[in-house]
Amino acid sequence: MIFDAVRTPRGAGKADGGALAEVAPLELCAQLLKALPGRSGLDPETVEDVVLGCVTQIGDQGANPARIAVLHAGWPDRVAGMSVNRFCTSGLDACALAAARVQSGECGLLVGGGVESMSRVPMFSDQGAWYTDPAIMKSTRFTPLGISADLLATLEGFSREDLDALALESQHCAVKARSEGAFDQRLVPVTSPDGQVVLDADQPPRDGLTMEKLAGLPAVFAELGEKGADRRALAAFPDLDQIEHLHSPGNSPAPADGAGLVVIGSEQAGRELKLTPRARILGWACAAADPVLMLTAAEEATRQALQRSGLEAANIERWEVNEAFAATVLRYRRVFAIDPDRLNVHGGAIALGHAMGATGAMLIAQLLDALDACRGRYGLVAVAGGGGLGSAMIVERLT
């Protein structure tokens, strides 16, 4: 059962101009943890563990941020904390891990979620061997995400106009949702030490964008491709002559700062603790795919999650699919024959931003908002990530 889901607003993930750049990621988590009891009557004493996704675990995000956030929030010492990293799927997988422990009978009540401050802890700053060791990069077929996205667009025959049109729709939906307060039910404003509001709405969405403005943005991964990334990726696709570089800053996910938490427990725990369930988790799955054409892994995870839940794609009334580049979503939409009016109805990461370790948990909160708005029953979250990893989760809204 999902008893509550909350998130911070997303700040632009840049040191200069990011609204949350001065707020430590542990503080983002702590403010959400402090907000939970007042929202649903949750007693922190009853929570057995906090599982947080976080991708770049170094600096401000090092040394098990989940456990530190629990203590920083003033929660009881007995509440454990565990941090997980499965790249972009981390936040969703943290919630799935919490659900699995409930389902197994090991725990009655946990908090899953994630955090990422990309303005303070930039991507790749952990300097893992995958990014720095040529031998490891070669043996594992390491491919930069942007090159994979352009490869996917090339194979699928998507045009730059196709990608920009999806990006513009994402921006329009996000701006509309923000202005209409669609996220307010689950949004916890971030405050300063003196109680002043730092950010109370998502920063990244841009009003006034047009197809003409998007078309004027450069193909951001062309130079990387020329330096050898294209050649290495094309080795896996010998029938393809070249990669068309079509993704720009406007149709790619925007780096973001933020955190999200989901309270997950058993039906029995909910009754005993007098917590009102908001949704039931019906099934989840993680999958892996070719690490070169990596952004298709969420598709297999979705197939498995649907099968385990006894549902078909046609049963899903709202889809939250992480916009890991426009081509990823266009292909996913085609594969599952999704009505565009059911997909990312409040915008996605291209407009709202992608706070890597937090995104999966944030999308659960966003999905509950979307299901509430349409009074729908079934919803699905899917995230594709680096290394050919993908995860999906299906929930049933409860009235």
Side-chain angles (χ1 to χ4, degrees):
M1 294 290 184
I2 294 176
F3 297 106
D4 200 2
V6 295
R7 69 172 181 89
T8 68
R10 298 173 181 88
K14 52 187 180 181
D16 182 14
L20 297 179
E22 298 301 316
V23 184
L26 294 173
E27 180 63 22
L28 296 177
C29 292
Q31 292 196 17
L32 290 184
L33 288 167
K34 290 176 181 178
L36 285 175
R39 290 174 50 90
S40 59
L42 174 73
D43 180 356
E45 288 281 358
T46 63
V47 176
E48 294 165 77
D49 204 352
V50 174
V51 187
L52 290 184
C54 184
V55 176
T56 311
Q57 294 187 34
I58 194 172
D60 282 347
Q61 294 177 169
N64 191 2
R67 173 59 174 166
I68 302 171
V70 165
L71 298 174
H72 184 50
W75 274 34
D77 290 350
R78 63 170 301 277
V79 180
M82 175 172 62
S83 303
V84 299
N85 176 12
R86 209 199 292 259
F87 298 135
C88 300
T89 72
S90 298
L92 186 56
D93 285 328
C95 294
L97 179 57
R101 293 172 67 188
V102 170
Q103 186 181 61
S104 73
E106 175 196 352
C107 298
L109 190 68
L110 300 95
V111 173
V115 65
E116 204 81 33
S117 177
M118 299 183 73
S119 63
R120 298 171 69 96
V121 188
M123 184 187 290
F124 310 132
S125 59
D126 52 353
Q127 289 293 287
W130 216 5
Y131 322 126
T132 59
D133 186 328
I136 295 295
M137 295 169 74
K138 181 178 180 180
S139 71
T140 59
R141 293 168 288 158
F142 170 75
T143 304
L145 277 163
I147 298 298
S148 180
D150 282 341
L151 174 61
L152 182 63
T154 302
L155 291 169
E156 292 291 320
F158 297 140
S159 68
R160 172 64 183 265
E161 185 176 6
D162 293 332
L163 306 185
D164 286 349
L166 184 132
L168 187 62
E169 180 65 16
S170 180
Q171 292 282 356
H172 285 169
C173 288
V175 169
K176 183 173 185 287
R178 182 178 60 183
S179 66
E180 293 179 352
F183 305 131
D184 290 356
Q185 183 181 358
R186 307 190 188 279
L187 208 61
V188 175
V190 177
T191 58
S192 64
D194 62 1
Q196 298 298 309
V197 174
V198 175
L199 187 65
D200 60 2
D202 293 307
Q203 181 186 14
R206 296 177 57 192
D207 201 358
L209 273 183
T210 64
M211 286 292 286
E212 291 72 25
K213 290 179 181 179
L214 287 170
L217 297 173
V220 72
F221 302 109
E223 183 178 352
L224 183 61
E226 291 174 359
K227 291 181 177 179
D230 279 4
R231 173 179 49 79
R232 294 190 296 272
L234 286 169
F237 295 86
D239 294 335
L240 191 65
D241 294 330
Q242 65 178 13
I243 296 174
E244 298 290 334
H245 290 289
L246 302 172
H247 284 91
S248 72
N251 56 39
S252 301
D257 301 339
L261 298 178
V262 183
V263 181
I264 297 170
S266 66
E267 189 172 359
Q268 179 181 346
R271 286 196 303 267
E272 292 175 353
L273 301 172
K274 296 182 172 54
L275 299 174
T276 302
R278 305 300 180 187
R280 178 183 291 111
I281 298 174
L282 297 182
W284 62 86
C286 61
D290 167 14
V292 179
L293 192 65
M294 66 184 79
L295 295 167
T296 60
E299 296 168 15
E300 179 57 29
T302 297
R303 293 186 189 96
Q304 292 181 24
L306 286 167
Q307 183 179 28
R308 293 171 187 177
S309 303
L311 297 174
E312 298 180 354
N315 299 127
I316 304 301
E317 294 159 275
R318 287 294 181 265
W319 302 73
E320 290 293 336
V321 179
N322 186 43
E323 291 177 350
F325 304 93
T328 309
V329 182
L330 286 174
R331 175 179 152 123
Y332 187 101
R333 189 174 73 185
R334 176 184 63 76
V335 166
F336 293 102
I338 302 171
D339 182 341
D341 290 338
R342 295 187 174 198
L343 174 65
N344 295 355
V345 296
H346 292 149
I350 290 173
L352 290 163
H354 177 30
M356 297 187 295
T359 289
M362 287 180 148
L363 289 182
I364 291 174
Q366 201 158 310
L367 178 63
L368 296 181
D369 288 332
L371 286 171
D372 283 346
C374 74
R375 302 184 67 80
R377 183 175 181 183
Y378 297 121
L380 186 147
V381 174
V383 182
L389 299 172
S391 295
M393 177 180 286
I394 297 173
V395 305
E396 178 184 14
R397 172 180 171 267
L398 301 176
T399 55

